[in-house]
């Protein structure tokens, strides 16, 4: 090819330069998957269930003003409040994409939870897909011929980079089914609900069924309990007591930060739990567990816990918990406050609401102390470590978990209780943990800020009127044994560990393992580190066939073990996998009985006053 030197006129050069710059910019805009500056995409969903018995929820998602080029749609991998990557995309099937005219668009999966749509210049498009929904929990989805329940994070995709965009959800229920959700209804659109952004959308589960409703008002604000399933509950008592919980917690925090509230309650033969949301909660409870009385109080504790979350977690937010990254783990060291602190207040609120007595409350508190002290993992993992590692440990426990970790719920509740008592003692009752939470609500949530571990300690010290560094260093960040009695003494109480002063009655044989009956098999479920069984070779999952050459079941094993004395040697015959083995174990000694919280010998007026401020009832020497 022969090339000749020539120059374009100046005006032609300028035109070519502008054209080249436009061509260079276009791919970048497409790559960013964003509409023109200042223009939000128009996002709407339709959720239908034409054949409920197939467990398939059908989703149609429409995206308008999407921008040119490609658009990535993402399915969250987890839902806030449940700290485990659950891979919701695994339930998606039958994905299709079309433009406004119905033309098929090219798409491909670029990773486990991302679908890339080639819009071909289309500004508006829609995708359709199905989600298999056959797992009823507070964090997943279920559809059958009786009802539909779903979490939007486990059902609805979002356009990459558009978490702040508003959206609407239209629900097409089977005939006769009603719809319950915390989302507000969209104006003049039947069965359609709107969300300001995706954090709110993903925070608002749906129940669609022929549910029952119990309603009440607190401070003129409507509340409803939506009940799916039958059970042995007393509806009027439930309505009255849940209202008491709402009133007590609202009085504690000072205001109600929502326009309405929905409790979604599923009653089934087994299972349970709860998941908090901004103006709703999803609850599960065994349908026949409302009687005897202890079961009913367990239900009230669940309600009190999840409802208190609307302040502690949903608004008083730890550092990493919102705005959320829905594509992976959101790490925080503060779950011991977010979950454990909420657990502490759940029990305390039942006392302050008059739904349990102070004697019942203190008995529960003593049991929680004993439960922690019976967990060898308390010396291996701190409260902050348990919070941070929730993503890999809390929902994946095994037979060794009792030896290697603690629950940020259990230890967190105890720590918050001890911290509350310490603040009350130091401030002579002028301040408490209530004031810490109210301060965080006013000075952090209302100013659009999340709080850090350092913030929490600083505010607690501000209320206590001095340094709490030793408490946080030893018990929160560290793994030292807790000092229960120093905080309890401030309210005129002491911890009795049940250790008998009578040497003859104190000595009890101790194996250090939990066994359970599974049909004809007596199986070792866990072995406690530092105990005789652990140190002498008994393993979890061993099948015990005989004790001292005599066949035993669980009842017989425990009865014969109770006859033994410390230092006795027991002869076990067992299967380990398929191998028959024998094992001799020298029993240890346990001197602890049941923990109790009792009055001190002579309570002072200050101790009695702090007790009443704490539990909302006069101090009594008869605990």
């Amino acid at each position: 090819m022969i090339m000749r030197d020539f120059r374009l006129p100046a005006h032609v050069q300028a035109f070519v330069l502008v054209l080249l710059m436009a061509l260079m910019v276009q791919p970048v805009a497409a790559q960013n998957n964003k509409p023109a500056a200042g223009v939000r995409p128009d996002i709407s969903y339709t959720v239908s269930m034409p054949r409920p018995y197939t467990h398939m929820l059908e989703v149609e998602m429409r995206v308008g003003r999407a921008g040119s080029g490609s658009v990535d749609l993402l399915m969250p991998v987890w839902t806030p409040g449940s700290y485990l990557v659950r891979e919701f995309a695994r339930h998606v099937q039958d994905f299709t994409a079309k433009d406004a005219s119905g033309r098929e668009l090219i798409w491909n999966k670029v990773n486990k939870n991302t679908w890339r749509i080639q819009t071909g210049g289309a500004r508006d498009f829609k995708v359709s897909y199905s989600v298999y929904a056959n797992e009823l929990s507070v964090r997943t989805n279920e559809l059958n011929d009786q009802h539909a329940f779903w979490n939007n994070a486990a059902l609805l995709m979002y356009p990459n980079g558009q978490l702040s965009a508003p959206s609407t959800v239209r629900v097409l229920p089977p005939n006769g089914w009603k719809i319950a959700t915390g989302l507000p209804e969209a104006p003049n659109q039947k069965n359609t609900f709107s969300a300001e952004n995706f954090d709110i959308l993903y925070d608002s589960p749906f129940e669609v069924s022929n549910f029952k409703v119990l309603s009440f008002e607190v401070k003129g604000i409507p509340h409803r309990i939506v009940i799916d399933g039958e059970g042995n509950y007393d509806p009027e008592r439930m309505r009255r007591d849940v209202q008491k919980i709402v009133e007590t917690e609202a009085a504690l925090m000072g205001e109600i930060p929502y326009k309405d509230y929905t409790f979604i309650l599923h009653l089934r033969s087994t299972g349970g739990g709860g998941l908090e949301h901004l103006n709703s909660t999803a609850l599960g409870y065994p349908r026949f567990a409302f009687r005897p009385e202890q079961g009913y109080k367990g239900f009230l504790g669940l309600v009190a816990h999840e409802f208190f979350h609307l302040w502690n977690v949903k608004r008083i937010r730890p550092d990493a918990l919102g705005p959320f990254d829905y594509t992976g783990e959101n790490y925080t060291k503060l779950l011991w406050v977010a979950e454990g602190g909420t657990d502490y207040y759940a029990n305390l609120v039942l006392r302050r609401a008059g739904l349990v007595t102070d004697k019942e409350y203190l008995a529960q508190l003593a049991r929680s102390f004993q439960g922690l002290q019976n967990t060898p993992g308390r010396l291996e993992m701190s409260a902050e470590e348990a919070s941070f590692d929730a993503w890999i440990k809390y929902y994946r426990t095994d037979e060794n978990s009792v030896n290697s970790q603690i629950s940020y719920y259990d230890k967190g509740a105890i720590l918050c209780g001890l911290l509350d008592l310490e603040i009350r003692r130091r401030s002579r009752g002028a301040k408490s943990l209530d004031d810490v939470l109210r301060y965080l609500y006013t000075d952090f949530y209302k100013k659009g800020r999340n709080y850090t571990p350092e913030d929490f300690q600083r505010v607690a010290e501000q209320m206590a009127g001095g340094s709490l560094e030793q408490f946080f260093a030893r018990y929160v960040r560290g793994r030292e044994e807790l000092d229960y009695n120093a905080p309890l003494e401030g309210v005129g109480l002491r911890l009795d560990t049940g250790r008998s002063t009578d040497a003859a009655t104190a000595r009890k044989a101790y194996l250090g393992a939990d066994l359970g009956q599974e049909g004809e098999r007596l199986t070792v479920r866990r072995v406690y580190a530092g105990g005789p069984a652990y140190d002498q070779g008994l393993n979890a999952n061993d099948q015990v066939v005989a004790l001292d050459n005599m066949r035993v079941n669980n009842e017989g094993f425990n009865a014969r073990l109770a006859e033994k004395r410390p230092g006795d040697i027991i002869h076990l015959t067992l299967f380990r996998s398929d191998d028959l083995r024998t094992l001799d174990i020298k029993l240890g000694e346990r001197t602890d009985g049941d923990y109790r919280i009792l009055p001190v010998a002579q309570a002072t007026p200050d101790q009695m006053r702090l007790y009443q401020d704490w539990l909302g009832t006069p101090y009594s020497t008869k605990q």
Side-chain angles (χ1 to χ4, degrees), residues 345-403:
Y345 273 101
N347 292 311
L348 189 61
V349 160
L350 296 188
R351 162 75 293 275
R352 292 181 180 175
L355 297 172
V356 300
T357 66
D358 53 344
K359 183 176 181 180
E360 289 174 313
Y361 174 78
L362 294 175
Q364 177 277 325
L365 188 60
R367 288 192 298 270
S368 70
F369 293 170
Q370 188 164 11
L372 180 63
Q373 293 305 123
N374 288 341
T375 304
R378 74 189 187 282
L379 303 176
E380 301 293 331
M381 174 180 277
S382 73
E384 284 197 347
E385 289 168 335
S387 302
F388 194 83
D389 279 346
W391 294 93
I392 60 172
K393 291 191 175 183
Y394 182 74
Y395 293 94
R396 293 185 171 124
T397 56
D398 57 33
E399 65 276 4
N400 190 54
S401 295
V402 70
N403 297 322

Side-chain angles (χ1 to χ4, degrees), residues 573-585:
T573 305
L574 53 89
F575 276 108
R576 182 168 296 167
S577 296
D578 294 328
D579 298 327
L580 187 65
R581 299 191 177 195
T582 59
L583 187 66
D584 290 337
I585 296 179

Side-chain angles (χ1 to χ4, degrees), residues 296-310:
Y296 178 65
K297 289 177 178 176
F299 167 73
L300 294 180
L302 175 64
V303 171
H305 178 105
E306 299 305 333
F307 187 73
F308 197 74
H309 267 315
L310 74 91

Side-chain angles (χ1 to χ4, degrees), residues 235-255:
E236 289 309 311
R237 187 184 185 194
M238 179 186 289
R239 185 205 317 266
R240 181 180 66 248
D241 290 346
V242 172
Q243 181 173 346
K244 286 181 182 178
I245 290 170
V246 172
E247 291 169 342
T248 303
E249 294 190 4
L252 189 158
M253 291 304 300
E255 70 176 31

